Amino acid sequence: MELPAEVVATELIGAFTDQEERTRLIGLVCVVDAVHLLDDLHRDGYLPLRDAASGIAAPMTARALLTIMQIEYASTIVFVSWEQLPTAELATIMALVSHLSPFARLRMHRRTTEHVQATDPYTPGQSRPGWVSLLNGDFDPHMTDPQVSAFRYEQVRPLHPGRLMAVLDRIEDGEFGVLVRSAGFCRLATRPQVAAQWEHVGQMFSLNPLGDDDRLANDEELLAVGQDLALIGLRLDPDRLAAALDDAALTDPELAAGPTAWAGFADPFPVWQTATDRAD
């Protein structure tokens, strides 16, 4: 079955792993243009989402995010146009994809092959993306390259939103190398009670609220205490990038001042509305 590019991979997996459905997802093949991959991941265009079940167009999302998710959740990745790349550059591209999707099988074909199946069947809960593996502590990509690196960043202190925005500008300028993908969980000091999902690929960055601590049930745990991020890229300087993120965290005096003082910090990020807020 061939699906349009605007279908979200996670929604597709959810639709075809429903225990009440007779159809089962046994493999997800993603075709990657080796020559244009980096350009595709740095596109700043947006597409309307298309729900996997209904086919109805929904809100806009970044094209690069859709592309990266198709790579991350694929069971098999088929490279095309690879013959046009020098050997060293092709090795770098393949290692990058292996870091983004460490459980996928990589294939090099002039045309997409048929009957490619997954090693393991798909289930509703997925841990295929490289960033998830980094946070889970089982990250082990099949291919490596000196140009490609990945690391985990942890910081328990909330982030100052103004300083974080400055760091993001430095990342976009390439000061720490080419950060292709970063994802995970974080907390802004101006919104300390809300855990957010950090979502970044290429030029696209967003912070999406996941839940309000004040509304957790007694038997529920916090989604994240502070920052827990996975970062994957080319020619990265992990030490300098981690130091820059540390500088965006609250200082000792700021931390001691407490949430009332934090509420007065400059906050350039959009206002959040959680799913619970929308339900109310």
Side-chain angles (χ1 to χ4, degrees):
M1 179 186 298
E2 185 172 350
L3 294 159
E6 61 269 26
V7 170
V8 180
T10 50
E11 293 184 2
L12 171 69
I13 293 170
F16 286 101
T17 55
D18 188 329
Q19 295 302 311
E20 297 181 359
E21 296 292 336
R22 297 178 61 185
T23 304
R24 289 288 179 268
L25 181 63
I26 61 172
L28 186 59
V29 179
C30 178
V31 179
V32 169
D33 183 340
V35 174
H36 299 105
L37 174 63
L38 291 180
D39 291 336
D40 290 341
L41 295 181
H42 281 81
R43 288 184 182 182
D44 57 4
Y46 282 74
L47 287 174
L49 293 179
R50 189 175 297 276
D51 181 76
S54 69
I56 300 174
M60 304 288 284
T61 194
R63 182 190 295 267
L65 181 59
L66 292 172
T67 300
I68 203 78
M69 291 180 69
Q70 290 169 8
I71 292 173
E72 291 175 335
Y73 287 94
S75 59
T76 300
I77 297 173
V78 179
F79 291 92
V80 296
S81 303
W82 56 269
E83 307 95 330
Q84 303 176 36
L85 292 178
T87 301
E89 189 173 343
L90 176 60
T92 299
I93 292 297
M94 294 186 70
L96 174 63
V97 170
S98 184
H99 281 60
L100 295 171
S101 188
F103 294 99
R105 293 176 174 179
L106 306 187
R107 297 288 183 263
M108 299 167 64
H109 292 282
R110 289 177 174 81
R111 64 185 66 183
T112 305
T113 57
E114 298 180 354
H115 309 301
V116 181
Q117 296 186 3
T119 303
D120 299 310
Y122 278 78
T123 58
Q126 289 293 315
S127 58
R128 292 179 179 273
W131 72 266
V132 175
S133 293
L134 271 166
L135 299 190
N136 286 344
D138 59 1
F139 183 67
D140 187 22
H142 297 295
M143 296 189 65
T144 60
D145 184 271
Q147 302 290 320
V148 182
S149 60
F151 70 100
R152 182 179 184 178
Y153 172 79
E154 296 178 276
Q155 169 63 259
V156 297
R157 298 188 179 202
L159 298 175
H160 186 295
R163 294 202 296 268
L164 173 59
M165 182 63 77
V167 173
L168 294 175
D169 289 339
R170 295 167 66 190
I171 289 174
E172 186 175 354
D173 290 340
E175 182 176 334
F176 311 104
V178 181
L179 185 60
V180 176
R181 176 66 160 145
S182 61
F185 309 97
C186 78
R187 289 189 183 252
L188 298 180
T190 48
R191 320 170 194 194
Q193 78 283 2
V194 179
Q197 181 175 357
W198 176 296
E199 196 78 85
H200 157 259
V201 53
Q203 299 183 58
M204 189 284 300
F205 177 83
S206 66
L207 291 177
N208 305 306
L210 295 175
D212 193 323
D213 297 347
D214 296 336
R215 299 185 180 184
L216 291 177
N218 292 332
D219 58 345
E220 292 181 314
E221 297 182 357
L222 295 177
L223 290 170
V225 175
Q227 331 312 317
D228 194 1
L229 306 175
L231 304 102
I232 303 171
L234 302 173
R235 301 175 295 279
L236 290 179
D237 188 333
D239 292 338
R240 291 187 61 237
L241 180 49
L245 290 169
D246 282 342
D247 289 341
L250 296 187
T251 63
D252 288 345
E254 289 171 338
L255 193 64
T260 301
W262 306 346
F265 293 161
D267 188 338
F269 293 96
V271 175
W272 288 341
Q273 185 180 34
T274 66
T276 306
D277 293 332
R278 289 190 290 270
D280 293 344

